[in-house]
Short mmCIF file of all heavy atoms in Angstrom, two decimals:
data_model
loop_
_atom_site.label_atom_id
_atom_site.label_comp_id
_atom_site.label_asym_id
_atom_site.label_seq_id
_atom_site.Cartn_x
_atom_site.Cartn_y
_atom_site.Cartn_z
N ASN A 138 46.72 118.22 117.99
CA ASN A 138 47.26 118.66 119.35
C ASN A 138 47.83 117.54 120.05
O ASN A 138 48.09 117.55 121.25
CB ASN A 138 46.08 119.12 120.25
CG ASN A 138 45.70 120.61 119.93
OD1 ASN A 138 46.51 121.20 119.20
ND2 ASN A 138 44.60 120.95 120.36
N ILE A 139 48.32 116.42 119.37
CA ILE A 139 49.05 115.37 119.90
C ILE A 139 50.53 115.65 119.82
O ILE A 139 51.31 115.50 120.72
CB ILE A 139 48.68 114.12 119.10
CG1 ILE A 139 47.27 113.70 119.34
CG2 ILE A 139 49.62 112.91 119.68
CD1 ILE A 139 46.77 112.56 118.51
N ILE A 140 51.01 116.06 118.63
CA ILE A 140 52.48 116.47 118.43
C ILE A 140 52.51 117.97 118.06
O ILE A 140 51.78 118.44 117.12
CB ILE A 140 53.06 115.57 117.41
CG1 ILE A 140 52.95 114.16 117.87
CG2 ILE A 140 54.39 116.01 116.94
CD1 ILE A 140 53.34 113.18 116.76
N PHE A 141 53.40 118.69 118.59
CA PHE A 141 53.82 119.93 118.26
C PHE A 141 55.19 120.05 117.71
O PHE A 141 56.08 119.52 118.24
CB PHE A 141 53.76 120.94 119.39
CG PHE A 141 52.45 121.35 120.09
CD1 PHE A 141 52.44 122.03 121.27
CD2 PHE A 141 51.28 120.84 119.44
CE1 PHE A 141 51.10 122.26 121.75
CE2 PHE A 141 50.09 121.10 120.09
CZ PHE A 141 50.06 121.88 121.19
N LEU A 142 55.37 120.50 116.45
CA LEU A 142 56.59 120.72 115.89
C LEU A 142 56.77 122.18 115.88
O LEU A 142 55.93 122.93 115.09
CB LEU A 142 56.75 120.17 114.48
CG LEU A 142 56.70 118.62 114.40
CD1 LEU A 142 56.52 118.14 112.99
CD2 LEU A 142 57.81 117.99 115.12
N ASN A 143 57.81 122.85 116.28
CA ASN A 143 57.91 124.33 116.33
C ASN A 143 59.51 124.75 116.22
O ASN A 143 60.26 123.96 116.47
CB ASN A 143 57.22 124.90 117.54
CG ASN A 143 57.77 124.35 118.86
OD1 ASN A 143 58.88 124.27 119.04
ND2 ASN A 143 56.89 123.91 119.70
N THR A 144 59.49 126.04 115.75
CA THR A 144 60.78 126.59 115.76
C THR A 144 60.62 128.12 116.23
O THR A 144 59.49 128.58 116.29
CB THR A 144 61.36 126.58 114.34
OG1 THR A 144 62.77 127.16 114.34
CG2 THR A 144 60.55 127.38 113.34
N GLY A 145 61.63 128.73 116.60
CA GLY A 145 61.52 130.11 117.12
C GLY A 145 62.92 130.69 117.28
O GLY A 145 63.86 130.24 116.66
N TYR A 146 62.99 131.76 118.10
CA TYR A 146 64.37 132.49 118.31
C TYR A 146 64.25 132.84 119.74
O TYR A 146 63.31 133.51 120.16
CB TYR A 146 64.48 133.72 117.47
CG TYR A 146 65.75 134.19 117.48
CD1 TYR A 146 66.72 133.78 116.48
CD2 TYR A 146 66.11 135.21 118.41
CE1 TYR A 146 68.04 134.29 116.60
CE2 TYR A 146 67.40 135.68 118.46
CZ TYR A 146 68.43 135.26 117.54
OH TYR A 146 69.67 135.69 117.48
N ALA A 147 65.32 132.42 120.47
CA ALA A 147 65.45 132.75 121.87
C ALA A 147 66.24 134.07 122.15
O ALA A 147 67.35 134.16 121.68
CB ALA A 147 66.12 131.57 122.69
N PHE A 148 65.62 135.05 122.74
CA PHE A 148 66.17 136.30 123.01
C PHE A 148 66.69 136.28 124.43
O PHE A 148 65.88 136.23 125.37
CB PHE A 148 65.13 137.44 122.78
CG PHE A 148 64.85 137.67 121.41
CD1 PHE A 148 63.68 137.06 120.97
CD2 PHE A 148 65.61 138.37 120.53
CE1 PHE A 148 63.17 137.29 119.62
CE2 PHE A 148 65.25 138.57 119.24
CZ PHE A 148 64.06 138.08 118.79
N PRO A 149 68.03 136.41 124.78
CA PRO A 149 68.48 136.21 126.14
C PRO A 149 67.95 137.57 126.84
O PRO A 149 68.01 138.70 126.39
CB PRO A 149 69.91 136.26 125.99
CG PRO A 149 70.31 136.11 124.62
CD PRO A 149 69.16 136.40 123.83
N ILE A 150 67.59 137.32 128.20
CA ILE A 150 67.23 138.43 129.06
C ILE A 150 67.98 138.46 130.33
O ILE A 150 67.67 139.15 131.22
CB ILE A 150 65.72 138.45 129.28
CG1 ILE A 150 65.20 137.12 129.96
CG2 ILE A 150 64.82 138.68 128.10
CD1 ILE A 150 63.81 137.07 130.46
N HIS A 151 69.05 137.61 130.35
CA HIS A 151 69.77 137.47 131.73
C HIS A 151 71.26 137.69 131.24
O HIS A 151 71.63 137.33 130.05
CB HIS A 151 69.60 136.04 132.18
CG HIS A 151 70.00 135.87 133.58
ND1 HIS A 151 71.28 135.49 133.93
CD2 HIS A 151 69.48 136.03 134.71
CE1 HIS A 151 71.41 135.42 135.19
NE2 HIS A 151 70.31 135.79 135.80
N LYS A 152 72.06 138.10 132.13
CA LYS A 152 73.47 138.34 131.84
C LYS A 152 74.18 136.89 131.42
O LYS A 152 75.11 136.87 130.63
CB LYS A 152 74.24 138.86 132.96
CG LYS A 152 74.39 137.95 134.18
CD LYS A 152 75.11 138.77 135.32
CE LYS A 152 75.16 137.79 136.55
NZ LYS A 152 76.00 138.25 137.49
N GLU A 153 73.67 135.70 131.95
CA GLU A 153 74.21 134.49 131.58
C GLU A 153 73.27 133.95 130.40
O GLU A 153 72.19 133.67 130.54
CB GLU A 153 74.09 133.46 132.69
CG GLU A 153 74.98 133.91 133.79
CD GLU A 153 74.86 133.03 135.11
OE1 GLU A 153 74.08 132.06 134.95
OE2 GLU A 153 75.52 133.38 136.16
N LYS A 154 73.83 134.01 129.11
CA LYS A 154 73.10 133.77 128.00
C LYS A 154 73.03 132.22 127.72
O LYS A 154 73.64 131.73 126.76
CB LYS A 154 73.60 134.57 126.83
CG LYS A 154 73.54 136.04 127.08
CD LYS A 154 74.13 136.76 125.84
CE LYS A 154 73.87 138.26 125.91
NZ LYS A 154 74.18 138.91 127.02
N TYR A 155 72.28 131.45 128.55
CA TYR A 155 72.27 130.03 128.38
C TYR A 155 71.48 129.65 127.09
O TYR A 155 71.74 128.76 126.46
CB TYR A 155 71.58 129.40 129.60
CG TYR A 155 72.39 129.50 130.91
CD1 TYR A 155 71.70 129.72 132.08
CD2 TYR A 155 73.67 129.38 130.93
CE1 TYR A 155 72.29 129.67 133.26
CE2 TYR A 155 74.45 129.36 132.09
CZ TYR A 155 73.73 129.63 133.28
OH TYR A 155 74.48 129.72 134.44
#
Side-chain angles (χ1 to χ4, degrees):
N138 282 343
I139 298 171
I140 298 174
F141 292 173
L142 296 170
N143 56 52
T144 187
Y146 192 89
F148 295 98
I150 57 173
H151 194 272
K152 65 179 181 173
E153 298 173 2
K154 295 176 172 50
Y155 294 143

